[in-house]
Amino acid sequence: MVTSGEVPRLIQAEALLETDVPGQRTFAMQVRDNSMQPLFSEGEIIFINPDLPSEPGHYVVVESEDGRPEGALLRQVKEIGGQAILHPLNRRYEDIPVTKQQRIRGRVVRLRKNL
């Protein structure tokens, strides 16, 4: 797996969220689709720490192969036969092998549920 030591690209924010989530470079993102339901729903806010290592079982945000922030994926990391796989929880989506072109931008450390 490729991880990144770079600061994630700045994405225009619509709001500032105050939080007690630790991590100097921790950032928030809105879940963009239903690929991780039932645990993560579209529109919810997740907090990602880019400084924590990711291991099988962790939820991560992966940069799209072309580097566009809007193409980032939220997935669970699994290992099958020595190959790192990006696994969606929603069975309507397929597993994706991790490629050298993809960068794991960070590990999900908190979910803020919409009320």
Side-chain angles (χ1 to χ4, degrees), residues 7-103:
V7 176
R9 292 190 182 113
L10 181 61
I11 300 171
Q12 184 175 358
E14 294 180 18
L16 178 64
L17 297 175
E18 290 190 30
T19 180
D20 61 347
V21 178
Q24 188 173 21
R25 298 187 321 137
T26 298
F27 61 98
M29 244 179 90
Q30 191 170 38
V31 177
R32 297 189 178 159
D33 62 24
N34 67 352
S35 64
M36 294 299 285
Q37 283 186 329
L39 186 57
F40 301 93
S41 297
E42 187 173 353
E44 292 175 331
I45 304 295
I46 54 174
F47 294 87
I48 300 102
N49 186 329
D51 298 321
L52 295 176
S54 59
E55 298 174 1
H58 288 155
Y59 299 100
V60 298
V61 170
V62 180
E63 184 179 80
S64 66
E65 290 190 23
D66 61 6
R68 293 177 302 117
E70 61 274 7
L73 295 174
L74 167 63
R75 294 290 189 266
Q76 182 181 35
V77 177
K78 289 199 169 193
E79 190 172 326
I80 300 173
Q83 169 71 44
I85 302 293
L86 300 173
H87 175 70
L89 299 179
N90 185 334
R91 292 182 181 190
R92 293 182 179 163
Y93 294 79
E94 295 184 15
D95 288 342
I96 303 169
V98 177
T99 67
K100 290 182 180 181
Q101 290 77 26
Q102 291 170 315
R103 291 180 181 253

